[in-house]
Amino acid sequence: MYKIIYMKADYEPWWEFEGWQEFVVSETEFEDRLQAEQFLKNLLHDFSLKYCKKQQKKDRFWAFWSENEAVYCDNCADDLQIYHGLIWQEVE
């Protein structure tokens, strides 16, 4: 089984900090690898059009962002960048 996870957080998805699952916006599962790859390809295309910055790690993590999308952090007294992350998972 294959899973595409979309998360939105103030850090890139490859960090997978404790509790990262709380930031999951959606999960889409597929039995067929080709269908999963096509779904991911479409998401990558859509996100690339919507967000001006992109970074990829380990061929299974993608982060997208625009510098104008941030949230204020009271504890750090600063703005934190918001990232839209995609994660490719192969589930046994």
Side-chain angles (χ1 to χ4, degrees):
M1 180 182 309
Y2 306 92
K3 190 183 292 188
I4 311 298
I5 298 170
Y6 165 43
M7 66 177 287
K8 182 178 175 182
D10 59 5
Y11 56 88
E12 297 93 336
W14 47 82
W15 293 111
E16 293 184 299
F17 292 128
E18 184 176 333
W20 70 269
Q21 295 89 343
E22 296 173 29
F23 298 100
V24 170
V25 175
S26 66
E27 293 184 17
T28 309
E29 295 180 358
F30 298 88
E31 292 292 330
D32 182 73
R33 182 181 183 94
L34 292 178
Q35 287 180 338
E37 289 173 345
Q38 186 60 49
F39 182 81
L40 177 62
K41 180 180 175 181
N42 290 340
L43 276 180
L44 292 171
H45 174 72
D46 292 347
F47 279 41
S48 292
L49 294 175
K50 189 171 182 178
Y51 304 104
C52 57
K53 301 202 181 265
K54 174 176 96 172
Q55 189 172 4
Q56 178 183 352
K57 296 259 185 180
K58 300 181 185 175
D59 294 328
R60 62 182 221 89
F61 296 104
W62 295 264
F64 296 85
W65 68 98
S66 296
E67 293 190 14
N68 63 346
E69 189 175 12
V71 64
Y72 186 76
C73 171
D74 289 326
N75 292 337
C76 31
D78 201 2
D79 287 334
L80 299 177
Q81 181 65 56
I82 296 297
Y83 297 93
H84 299 268
L86 296 176
I87 304 170
W88 168 273
Q89 286 186 342
E90 294 185 27
V91 183
E92 295 181 18

